[in-house]
Amino acid sequence: MATIKLLDCTLRDGGYLNDWKFGYDEIITVFERLVSAGIDVIEIGFLDERRTYDKNRTILPDVLSVNRTFDGMDKKDAMVVGMIDYGTCSIEKVIPQKDSFLDGIRVIFKKHIMNEALDFCSQLKGLGYKVFVQAVSVTSYNDEEFAILLNRVNEVVPYAFSIVDTYGLLHKNQLIHYFELADKALVEEISLGYHSHNNFQLGYANCIELTEKKISRNLLLDGSLYGMGKGAGNTPIELLAMYMRENYGAGYHLSQLLEAIDVTIMDCYRTTPWGYGLKFFIAASNDCHPNYVAALMEKKKLSVKSINEILQTIPKEKKLLYDSGLIAELYEEYQAISCDDSSDIVKLAREWEERNILLIGPGKKGQESSRIHEYCKKNNSIVVSVNFIPENIMVNYVFMSNAKRYVKLAGYLADAMSRQENLKTIATSNVTRAKGRFDYVLAYGNLLDEEALIKDNPLFMLLKLCKQIGVKSVALAGFDGYEKSVDTNYVNPNMEYVFSKEKAEVLNEDTASGIVRAQMPCPIHFITESLYERYLN
C-alpha cells in the first residue's frame, strides 16, 4: 500500500505572482507553519543563477544562498527541496547535499531537452540529493514519447517522478492514463507525484482520484497554501491535508496552515489574485498556453467565439510553447477576412462624395451635444459614430470594426435602428452580424495602417475610407486621446484600455502621426478637445 505524502510549493509556484518577493519574515513564517503543520515535503523556491541574492525573495542564485536564508531553521521531519528549471542553474552552483540545507532538488524540463535534463538529474543525484524528475506539460507527450521518457527515468532512478499538468488540461481519464503508464513502467523505488493547475477546477478532484489508486509505490501530491500559484493556481494544500486527516487518519495540523494563509497568503491574494478564470478556461479548453489567450484578450477587439477560432489554428507543436510572433500573425490573418467590397464602396461614395463627414468617437467629450449639433447644422454633416452609439446625438451611420464591442452593442443597435429607419451600418469584414446583414461590409485588410502601433485603429480605417471616397472634409468629436486614468477616457467604462502614462503618450503621438499619414486633402477639424492636437501643432 502506498504511503501518501503532501508536498507544498507555495514559496516556489506562488512566487510567479510576486516575483518571489514574499519578504524575509513572511518566508520564515510560511516555512515554520508548514513544518508545524507536518507537511512532508516543503519546496522553498527556485535556484536560478541569473538572479542575485535577496533574502526577501525565494528565487536564489545557488545552494549557498539557500543556506544563508534558512540555516538555523528547524525542519523537523520535513524534507526540504528546491527547484531548478533545467538550464537556469549550472551544476557548479550546487554544493554537495551534506553541506546543504536542501534535502532534494526538483528539476523541471520540456520535452525537447529531456535527455540533457535527465543527465543533469544524474549529476545532482551524484551530489547526494534526492532528485525529483518533473515532466512539465505532460500532455505534450504521446504514449510512445512518454514511454521513452519513463525508460530514461529508470536509468537515473530518482527519488520521484512527477506528472506535471502545467496548464491544467487533464481530466480524470487522461490523468489516470498517464498515471497507470508511469506506475507500470517505473521501478518500484521511484515515488510517483502529481502537480496540478486549476484551469478546469480539477486539481483537488484529480488528487483525490489518485489517492484511491492501489499502488505499491509512494505517492506525492503537490499543493500550495490557498492554491497560490501561477495562472489558475494549484490544489489548495489545506484541502488535501483535511482530506488526508478525514480519510487516512493523517496527522496534519490544519490550524497551522490556516494561520499561514491568514497572516501571509491573503495579503498576496488581495494584491494579485489567482485562481480559476475565463482566460485559463479558454486556454485549457484549447489545449494551449494561456499567454496566447491573454495576447488576444488584450486586443479588446475579439469576441470569445473569435478567440476560440484563432486558438484552434495554432499548430499542435506550438500550442504549449508560447510564440508572440505567431499569435500576432494568426490574429491578423483571422481579422483580414477577404471580401469583395467594391460595390459597397461605390454605394458609399454616392452618399459621401463631396460631403462633410463628422466622426464621433467613444470618448466622453463626444457627449458635448450642443457643440456637435451646432457644427452639424452649420455644415450639413453626415454623422458617423465609431464602435458605439451616442445617446444624445442623432447619427446617420454606425461604423464597427471591433467584434467584441459589436457583441455588446448588438441589442442597443437593433433598438436604435427600430427608432431611426434611416440609420445605416458599416462594418469591417472581421465583424459578424448576429442577425441579417450590415448595410455595408468593407474589407478589413484594405483599411489597415501598416505603420501604426495599432494597425486597425478605427480612426485610421475611416480616414483611409474617406480619402478613397473623396469626401469634402472630415471633423472629429469624442476622440479624446489616451490617458492613464481608468474612468475618464470613455463614455462606457467597459470600453476602457488601461495604460501607463508613458504608454498613453506613445499612443497619442502615434495616433497623431497616423492622422498626418492619412494625407487628407483638407485639414481635419477637432470639434471637441483632443490630446492628439498637441502632437499635431
Side-chain angles (χ1 to χ4, degrees), residues 110-111 137 139-140 166-167 169 282-293 307-324 326-327 330:
K110 292 184 173 67
K111 182 172 65 176
S137 300
T139 52
S140 67
T166 309
Y167 302 113
L169 306 180
I282 293 172
S285 63
N286 285 281
D287 293 342
C288 72
H289 197 293
N291 284 358
Y292 284 124
V293 184
I307 290 173
N308 274 314
E309 289 174 352
I310 294 172
L311 295 176
Q312 288 163 16
T313 66
I314 300 173
K316 184 176 180 181
E317 66 274 11
K318 285 280 192 176
K319 287 212 167 203
L320 297 176
L321 296 170
Y322 179 64
D323 184 331
S324 59
L326 172 65
I327 199 63
L330 294 177

Side-chain angles (χ1 to χ4, degrees), residues 16-297:
Y16 283 105
L17 299 163
N18 58 11
D19 195 29
W20 295 274
K21 193 172 184 178
F22 289 88
Y24 179 75
D25 291 343
E26 285 70 23
I27 292 169
I28 299 307
T29 295
V30 168
F31 182 82
E32 288 182 334
R33 294 291 183 179
L34 292 171
V35 169
S36 297
I39 298 302
D40 304 286
V41 185
I42 302 171
E43 188 176 53
I44 52 81
F46 267 116
L47 298 176
D48 188 335
E49 65 186 56
R50 299 169 299 180
R51 306 294 287 256
T52 57
Y53 177 72
D54 181 348
K55 73 173 185 177
N56 294 305
R57 282 187 161 91
T58 55
I59 186 165
L60 304 154
D62 48 39
V63 175
L64 283 173
S65 298
V66 175
N67 289 355
R68 288 176 66 182
T69 298
F70 290 95
D71 259 359
M73 300 297 300
D74 185 358
K75 54 186 175 182
K76 297 182 180 177
D77 296 326
M79 182 190 303
V80 178
V81 301
M83 177 174 278
I84 294 175
D85 184 349
Y86 174 69
T88 64
C89 184
S90 60
I91 197 69
E92 290 76 22
K93 300 293 182 179
V94 184
I95 61 176
Q97 192 280 321
K98 63 182 179 62
D99 301 317
S100 170
F101 186 79
L102 296 176
D103 301 297
I105 295 177
R106 304 217 290 176
V107 179
I108 59 173
F109 56 89
K110 292 184 173 67
K111 182 172 65 176
H112 68 283
I113 52 172
M114 171 185 72
N115 289 313
E116 300 94 320
L118 288 170
D119 289 342
F120 181 71
C121 288
S122 293
Q123 290 180 287
L124 292 174
K125 185 178 175 184
L127 290 172
Y129 290 95
K130 291 181 172 65
V131 177
F132 296 63
V133 174
Q134 308 286 122
V136 303
S137 300
V138 69
T139 52
S140 67
Y141 292 82
N142 60 35
D143 285 2
E144 182 180 353
E145 292 167 336
F146 197 57
I148 293 170
L149 169 64
L150 296 172
N151 286 333
R152 285 286 285 113
V153 171
N154 279 338
E155 294 173 10
V156 178
V157 194
Y159 174 80
F161 170 81
S162 283
I163 295 168
V164 183
D165 189 10
T166 309
Y167 302 113
L169 306 180
L170 291 175
H171 284 73
K172 181 180 77 171
N173 290 341
Q174 297 166 293
L175 172 63
I176 295 304
H177 177 70
Y178 282 110
F179 187 85
E180 290 181 344
L181 288 176
D183 185 43
K184 182 178 179 180
L186 292 174
V187 298
E188 191 170 313
E189 63 191 272
I190 301 174
S191 298
L192 190 50
Y194 171 55
H195 178 89
S196 68
H197 279 268
N198 250 341
N199 298 55
F200 283 142
Q201 291 285 54
L202 288 174
Y204 178 55
N206 281 345
C207 285
I208 300 310
E209 192 68 32
L210 293 185
T211 65
E212 297 176 359
K213 298 293 294 180
K214 306 301 181 185
I215 60 174
S216 57
R217 70 182 74 249
N218 291 333
L219 176 64
L220 282 167
L221 298 176
D222 287 17
S224 60
L225 292 166
Y226 207 59
M228 185 181 186
K230 180 170 60 175
N234 305 104
T235 302
I237 193 81
E238 64 275 11
L239 294 185
L240 292 176
M242 176 189 69
Y243 182 85
M244 292 300 296
R245 281 176 58 89
E246 293 178 355
N247 293 275
Y248 293 90
Y252 300 114
H253 300 288
L254 277 175
S255 60
Q256 295 294 326
L257 300 177
L258 298 179
E259 286 287 344
I261 293 170
D262 182 45
V263 170
T264 299
I265 305 304
M266 290 311 296
D267 285 341
C268 297
Y269 184 78
R270 282 186 282 269
T271 302
T272 310
W274 57 86
Y276 174 78
L278 182 61
K279 177 176 75 174
F280 303 114
F281 168 75
I282 293 172
S285 63
N286 285 281
D287 293 342
C288 72
H289 197 293
N291 284 358
Y292 284 124
V293 184
L296 295 176
M297 284 186 160

Side-chain angles (χ1 to χ4, degrees), residues 393-407:
I393 300 167
M394 188 74 72
V395 301
N396 305 109
Y397 298 83
V398 179
F399 175 80
M400 286 162 293
S401 61
N402 185 318
K404 185 181 180 76
R405 289 187 186 171
Y406 168 66
V407 170

